[in-house]
Amino acid sequence: MIMVVALALAGAVQGGVSSAQARDGGRQLLFYNHAYGVLDRATADAIEHSAYLRDFANFQVRTTTGAGGQTWTGRYLMGRETYLELFGIGDVPGKDGTLGATGLGVSAERAGDLATAIARLRELGISDPVEFRQTRDFGDGVPVPWFDAVLTTGEYDLFGAWGMEYRPEYFADPRSNTEPAAHPGDVGRERYLPDAYRDHLMRDVTGIRLAVTARDLADTLPLLKAGGFAVRSLPDGGALAKGGGTTLRFDAVPLDRVGLRQVEMSLNRPVSYRHEERIGRSALVVGPGSRAVWTFGEQDRPTAP
């Protein structure tokens, strides 16, 4: 899901997500769903054509059509409940296609939890959150409701985070290839993603490190707190958020240094070796043990989108 597309939608469907009143005991409502990063073209192309990644993960390259006919082409590593979305410069509309642009989606597991998180946002001082509904076109020109979502603001530099809840219409469409509900109100990540991860080594994303501007970080933290993440500030001006088995690390940096820095992943089984795969300007280290770490190099970029 792309921020420019989201903001284009917001004006037309503002208020489409109802608000709950209860804090629901402070339990976690939103969980890491996926993050995206825009990389230099050479690295994006190396990822797209990597034979190793196709063996390591449930890996896909696809073009998605969202609301209003907006399209984006991503490279996807999909786990059991979580995934990673990678772009090259210009693969997404507007400034979201700028080198170093990043995004983060956190989603509900139970129907109605996004509305409760929005109520928490208002309690945290976000009086006018930006609500919208995203759709998906499977190729027949008929948009299917995909998910409801919320942003804390319509203004951002090159990073944005959103809360989301998958729609029942999407699960009901056979073209979505999703699973039956495991329980009443199941709108969870495991239901949404395919089980093909079982045939590969990668299981899930367990950690993300992003370099973002101080403004974008300040706008993100209320959403994570409303979603139930444990958030603490770091001495260098960054922040750490933990919840649901995922750790989110944010470094506060100038605009010309923003970008995806590192991804940590769990494996379906432990390995006895250490393997390092160089992919463009990145290095994926797998093992030893049940963990992989993918590090992305910092690159020169313009100081403005």
Side-chain angles (χ1 to χ4, degrees):
M1 204 284 292
I2 308 305
M3 290 290 291
V4 164
V5 178
L7 293 172
L9 289 169
V13 293
Q14 182 77 6
V17 183
S18 62
S19 297
Q21 299 301 314
R23 287 188 59 90
D24 200 17
R27 66 181 176 85
Q28 186 156 352
L29 301 170
L30 304 177
F31 299 78
Y32 171 86
N33 184 287
H34 72 283
Y36 74 79
V38 178
L39 311 173
D40 66 276
R41 177 52 58 184
T43 299
D45 288 348
I47 290 170
E48 181 169 340
H49 299 291
S50 170
Y52 181 81
L53 287 178
R54 283 169 167 78
D55 182 61
F56 171 73
N58 178 19
F59 179 86
Q60 294 183 7
V61 180
R62 71 169 186 264
T63 298
T64 302
T65 301
Q70 293 276 12
T71 63
W72 56 92
T73 300
R75 299 140 193 85
Y76 297 85
L77 282 77
M78 295 180 289
R80 180 177 182 271
E81 295 183 319
T82 60
Y83 67 98
L84 181 66
E85 189 175 23
L86 300 171
F87 301 106
I89 299 169
D91 284 341
V92 296
K95 71 178 182 180
D96 289 343
T98 301
L99 181 64
T102 53
L104 171 70
V106 289
S107 66
E109 293 283 288
R110 294 178 4 186
D113 278 357
L114 178 64
T116 306
I118 292 172
R120 288 187 185 178
L121 268 179
R122 292 192 170 99
E123 293 174 6
L124 290 169
I126 308 299
S127 59
D128 192 23
V130 181
E131 303 175 47
F132 64 96
R133 179 166 296 167
Q134 176 64 286
T135 63
R136 182 171 180 181
D137 185 340
F138 285 102
D140 58 4
V142 180
V144 176
W146 190 0
F147 55 83
D148 290 329
V150 65
L151 306 165
T152 62
T153 178
E155 301 293 330
Y156 66 104
D157 293 323
L158 284 177
F159 168 77
W162 62 93
M164 55 189 287
E165 181 174 305
Y166 292 116
R167 294 289 307 171
E169 299 95 326
Y170 186 82
F171 285 119
D173 194 306
R175 296 171 299 177
S176 70
N177 294 316
T178 53
E179 301 172 11
H183 53 78
D186 179 11
V187 293
R189 300 163 297 166
E190 196 277 332
R191 183 185 178 192
Y192 174 78
L193 290 173
D195 286 337
Y197 75 93
R198 295 173 178 171
D199 302 324
H200 302 272
L201 198 54
M202 174 191 161
R203 182 175 180 85
D204 266 317
V205 174
T206 58
I208 290 283
R209 186 167 186 170
L210 301 168
V212 304
T213 64
R215 178 176 83 151
D216 286 346
L217 178 57
D219 290 335
T220 297
L221 296 184
L223 175 65
L224 298 179
K225 291 175 181 178
F229 283 83
V231 178
R232 65 180 178 90
S233 299
L234 298 176
D236 61 1
L240 196 68
K242 294 184 177 183
T246 309
T247 299
L248 311 174
R249 167 72 185 260
F250 300 95
D251 300 326
V253 300
L255 184 60
D256 61 348
R257 293 186 56 207
V258 300
L260 176 63
R261 289 289 176 267
Q262 195 170 76
V263 181
E264 297 183 11
M265 293 163 278
S266 61
L267 306 180
N268 280 314
R269 61 184 184 277
V271 296
S272 59
Y273 55 82
R274 180 188 186 275
H275 173 80
E276 180 172 344
E277 186 77 10
R278 300 292 304 186
I279 311 173
R281 293 176 59 89
S282 72
L284 173 60
V285 176
V286 179
S290 299
R291 180 171 173 262
V293 179
W294 198 354
T295 303
F296 297 84
E298 186 175 344
Q299 301 163 82
D300 295 334
R301 58 177 60 82
T303 57

